[in-house]
Amino acid sequence: MKIVTICGAGIGTSGILKVNAERALERLDIEADITATDVASVGVVAADAQVILTSPELVDRIGKTNADVIVIDNYFDIDELAAKLEIALG
Amino acid sequence: MKETMSLPPLPDSAITIGLRVDDWQGAVRAAGQALERSGATTPEYTDRMVGVIEEFGAYVVIAPGFALAHARPGSDVLTEGLSVLTLAEPVAFGHPHNDPVQVVVGLAVTSSDEHVHFVAELANVFNDEQVIPALARATDADGIRSLLGATASNGEPS
């Protein structure tokens, strides 16, 4: 299982999303490899990903992908992350 | 996951409380200027933080009322740094769910690797949903540092 978190600069917000997605997955008892990257690299980095996590502001920039794109509103809300990941992965 | 990864120092010069700004650009610039004052960045970095939002939109507004202003590492980052800005009146950044913003954290890192380790600590701090409203209400720099678990300088906790 590969999950990619996306932000504009590839640092900062995607890093926070990665850390908290790992916490949510731990709660769900799901193993996954999570990579933080930027929008410009998403085509390459997420080519073999099952899930892309990002902000509502960046969804339109992701382009074509086979991954499920999950939009997270509050990056600090582990409940939101766990609920959305559970739906996507369940 | 449980180890403590300390945040960069947060001196008084990096903290701005209750500022009035006209728009999100004013807020991001103020957070950038606080990074400049603390010695973390040059003015070019502040310009780039504004540029990231102009290019990609308000995705830096990652929680209700909260923006994490940042740009990529670069030669305009002199050392890793954080700044904290609270606004007297919240401003809209253009985020569909999390506007308006009252607390802005400015983030500067010198490499992506270094970044990831203290970002985990930022996540630890802000996973407590009380922290953002408490920062917005804080009236002095010590109160802000205490909420974040940050110190004023490298060394012993203040």
Side-chain angles (χ1 to χ4, degrees), chain B:
Chain B
M1 291 283 284
K2 297 286 185 227
E3 73 265 37
T4 307
M5 292 155 283
S6 59
L7 296 173
L10 195 61
D12 288 356
S13 57
I15 297 174
T16 308
I17 296 168
L19 190 71
R20 290 184 186 277
V21 296
D22 292 331
D23 49 27
W24 69 260
Q25 288 92 339
V28 172
R29 290 204 173 277
Q33 285 154 4
L35 286 169
E36 293 168 32
R37 282 196 305 273
S38 72
T41 60
T42 68
E44 288 74 22
Y45 187 76
T46 301
D47 292 340
R48 290 203 296 125
M49 292 203 309
V50 174
V52 164
I53 300 172
E54 286 172 346
E55 181 174 2
F56 294 109
Y59 81 89
V60 301
V61 186
I62 57 173
F66 178 79
L68 184 67
H70 66 290
R72 291 169 196 275
S75 57
D76 46 14
V77 179
L78 308 173
T79 182
E80 64 176 28
L82 278 183
S83 68
V84 176
L85 164 70
T86 68
L87 299 174
E89 300 290 340
V91 294
F93 274 57
H95 191 282
H97 301 282
N98 294 335
D99 269 343
V101 169
Q102 194 162 16
V103 177
V104 181
V105 166
L107 172 74
V109 295
T110 53
S111 77
S112 317
D113 287 348
E114 161 193 272
H115 153 80
V116 169
H117 94 114
F118 78 76
V119 152
E121 182 56 27
L122 271 184
N124 279 338
V125 170
F126 284 100
N127 284 347
D128 177 347
E129 64 185 24
Q130 304 301 322
V131 166
I132 293 167
L135 284 171
R137 287 192 306 267
T139 55
D140 60 33
D142 284 334
I144 300 258
R145 278 189 289 266
S146 154
L147 285 163
L148 296 179
T151 58
S153 61
N154 284 312
E156 292 308 301
S158 56

Side-chain angles (χ1 to χ4, degrees), chain A residues 17-63:
Chain A
L17 196 47
K18 170 179 153 75
V19 168
N20 281 337
E22 284 167 352
R23 288 178 183 154
L25 289 172
E26 202 171 302
R27 190 192 289 180
L28 297 172
D29 205 19
I30 295 172
E31 293 255 343
D33 174 32
I34 307 186
T35 305
T37 191
D38 64 349
V39 162
S41 312
V42 63
V44 176
V45 176
D48 56 346
Q50 281 78 51
V51 173
I52 296 174
L53 294 174
T54 193
S55 156
E57 287 284 290
L58 295 177
V59 172
D60 293 342
R61 295 174 173 266
I62 290 171

Side-chain angles (χ1 to χ4, degrees), chain A residues 63-84:
Chain A
K64 274 194 154 174
T65 176
N66 292 322
D68 280 335
V69 177
I70 303 182
V71 173
I72 303 298
D73 294 325
N74 184 345
Y75 284 27
F76 297 119
D77 185 348
I78 308 285
D79 291 339
E80 177 186 347
L81 272 159
K84 289 181 174 175

